[in-house]
Amino acid sequence: MPSEKDGVMIILSSPSGAGKTTLVKKLSQKDNFEISISHTTRQPRPNENQNEDYYFINVSEFERLIKNEEFLEYAKVFNNFYGTTRTPVIDNLNKSRNVLFDIDWQGADQIKNKKLDYKLITFFILPPSKEVLFERLSKRHANDNLIAEERMKQFERDVLHWINYDFVVINNDLNECYLKISNLIDAVINNGSQDYDPSYIRKHVEKLTS
Ligand code: 5GP
């Protein structure tokens, strides 16, 4: 049984381009919330900082962490490795701090299957429509349209994992989406009533996958 004084684990996953990283950063400003910083073998982007956005490491260092069983979860995403080391997460949870994870469905599955003794809340963020997603991805990868097309194909595969999450939230407007997630987290932590309509979500997913 999770103890009431331990922190809560909150996972946000989404297909690329649904706005998850911005949401995680906004949620981390809530009182007593920490972002779990992942290790990755991918190259930093121009706006990213070592030890803040990620711990950028090489493949042999990543393999060493796997061998030493330091990862709570790890996965290969778009040809790079990504992983969450166990110690900082457990330390924070034991200090009653809530930990936010910006990880993909593979990592979410692994953490869920570990059945750790901490409360876990999982969110899957979806775009309002395929058209909006393509527009966002084309803007983000303006100098290489092939990437946007490749990510759209990946979207068709990733979206199928929505079913394994506690809550699916549509990111139509960043602020509204943030409030929805924030309220649901508070409701779960405080055993309050949850403003959530699963049948609306099911219909939205049907539209996205048709
Ligand atoms: P990006 O390279 O755009 O920062 O992230 C690509 C994907 O990897 C995103 O879906 C992100 O959530 C996921 N990701 C980031 N860190 C981790 C991690 O530690 N573990 C797993 N499984 N996925 C991660």
Side-chain angles (χ1 to χ4, degrees), residues 6 122 145 166 203:
D6 286 336
T122 60
N145 220 18
D166 297 324
K203 280 190 206 123

Side-chain angles (χ1 to χ4, degrees), residues 66-82:
I66 297 177
K67 207 163 142 237
N68 289 355
E69 297 185 357
E70 293 195 34
F71 285 122
L72 186 59
E73 64 75 33
Y74 70 91
K76 199 172 188 188
V77 188
F78 301 128
N79 291 326
N80 292 301
F81 286 104
Y82 294 82

Side-chain angles (χ1 to χ4, degrees), residues 14 20 38 42 45 54 73 75 77 82-84 102-104 107:
S14 75
K20 169 193 39 158
S38 298
R42 94 151 153 70
R45 297 184 182 128
Y54 281 105
E73 64 75 33
V77 188
Y82 294 82
T84 308
D102 172 346
I103 62 177
D104 82 330

Side-chain angles (χ1 to χ4, degrees), residues 44-59:
R45 297 184 182 128
N47 57 336
E48 288 179 328
N49 296 318
Q50 172 73 299
N51 306 351
E52 278 176 30
D53 295 284
Y54 281 105
Y55 300 111
F56 295 98
I57 58 173
N58 59 31
V59 175

